[in-house]
Amino acid sequence: MSIDAYIEKIIPAVDKFGGFAQPVKFNIGGDIVHIIGKDVTTEDKDADCTITMAPEIFEQILAGDTDPMSAVMEGDIEVEGDSAIAISIQGLF
């Protein structure tokens, strides 16, 4: 999946979720998706929480085949920064 495909999946999810009060950054195999409010960009900006994962894991989460919290516990997702933000992201997808 390309960065454009990630953005296509993330934007409607963020809109439905209501946005993020604090900046969040996803690092998906080196591709960056930064979210603040409902603004989704590919700029590598500072964030209060950075969530790093392989593209395969992100695609499994989007498909509903992988639970994000289980992936964190198994070490497939790394969370840096405010873990409360990461917990709130469970409802994003």
Side-chain angles (χ1 to χ4, degrees):
M1 206 180 264
S2 69
I3 187 67
D4 293 332
Y6 298 151
I7 296 294
E8 285 179 23
K9 299 286 186 181
I10 291 173
I11 288 175
V14 169
D15 283 342
K16 184 178 177 182
F17 188 71
F20 290 91
Q22 297 169 286
V24 177
K25 180 173 26 177
F26 287 90
N27 179 338
I28 307 166
D31 288 324
I32 302 297
V33 178
H34 186 274
I35 307 166
I36 180 68
K38 291 185 177 182
D39 183 36
V40 179
T41 71
T42 57
E43 295 177 46
D44 191 358
K45 301 179 186 178
D46 289 337
D48 292 342
C49 180
T50 300
I51 300 167
T52 303
M53 70 190 85
E56 301 80 31
I57 298 298
F58 184 68
E59 292 170 22
Q60 290 171 7
I61 290 169
L62 289 176
D65 296 334
T66 296
D67 174 63
M69 294 313 291
S70 296
V72 170
M73 297 299 217
E74 294 172 6
D76 293 330
I77 295 176
E78 181 181 314
V79 177
E80 295 178 37
D82 190 342
S83 59
I85 297 170
I87 292 169
S88 74
I89 290 174
Q90 288 186 102
L92 184 61
F93 301 108

